[in-house]
Amino acid sequence: MSQLSLRLYQLARALDERFVPNVPPDGIKEGMTETAKGEAEKQRRSRALTALAAVMLAGISDEEAAERVTDRWCDDGIDGFAVPECQAGPPVIYLVQAKWSAKGNYNLGNDDVRTLVDGFQKLRTWDDLDPQNPIRAFKKEIWPVVNTPEVKFV
């Protein structure tokens, strides 16, 4: 097993143990074929990777990070977010876009980045977010921070 394969295996196992049980299952189709099962696993790990990024960036708990995974078909490019509670200086909102690759070779493309930037712009006004976007459930948490003049988005 190559070093990359070993590291990816270890990361996949950590994601499966720490985050997969708590990330939202909405929209993940569990199929009967190996291909369908593999796609479902990839989606769960992408969501788990989003939660891990939120933990690493914002220092929030695993459970809180998993709750803030918004990765769905209608997410406006924002797979997750985090707002650290204790901050010195201006408030920060972390927006996360993550994709799992079992080979470790996925690169965000222009369309991924464009969609995330568009989602960020929609988040600034809230009105243009997809009506089904899961981030809407967190408006009471996010909106006061978004409206803070010094807010930083990362």
Side-chain angles (χ1 to χ4, degrees):
M1 181 180 281
S2 72
Q3 284 293 343
L4 177 61
S5 296
L6 177 60
R7 288 183 183 141
L8 286 169
Y9 173 79
Q10 291 169 333
L11 176 59
R13 186 170 173 180
L15 292 172
D16 290 347
E17 291 174 5
R18 282 180 64 182
F19 298 103
V20 166
N22 297 317
V23 295
D26 309 10
I28 297 178
K29 296 178 182 169
E30 301 293 337
M32 300 303 285
T33 67
E34 289 304 312
T35 302
K37 289 177 185 176
E39 184 58 32
E41 180 179 79
K42 180 179 169 185
Q43 288 178 318
R44 283 191 297 273
R45 285 189 179 148
S46 285
R47 291 178 183 185
L49 189 60
T50 297
L52 176 61
V55 167
M56 293 173 72
L57 290 167
I60 60 177
S61 70
D62 290 2
E63 294 77 19
E64 185 177 348
E67 289 173 8
R68 283 155 180 73
V69 172
T70 58
D71 182 22
R72 314 288 194 289
W73 62 272
C74 54
D75 64 16
D76 292 303
I78 302 170
D79 289 346
F81 74 95
V83 180
E85 289 184 28
C86 299
Q87 303 179 60
V92 177
I93 299 176
Y94 293 97
L95 303 179
V96 181
Q97 169 60 251
K99 301 286 185 247
W100 172 256
S101 168
K103 295 180 181 178
N105 62 358
Y106 187 88
N107 290 310
L108 291 178
N110 289 337
D111 289 342
D112 296 318
V113 174
R114 189 176 304 112
T115 303
L116 179 60
V117 170
D118 289 347
F120 162 70
Q121 291 171 336
K122 291 175 182 181
L123 185 65
R124 296 290 309 224
T125 63
W126 203 268
D127 296 329
D128 295 327
L129 286 170
D130 188 290
Q132 300 300 313
N133 188 328
I135 207 166
R136 288 181 170 278
F138 298 93
K139 185 173 185 177
K140 288 181 181 176
E141 177 182 345
I142 296 174
W143 193 240
V145 181
V146 169
N147 284 320
T148 304
E150 313 85 43
V151 65
K152 293 182 181 180
F153 288 89
V154 179

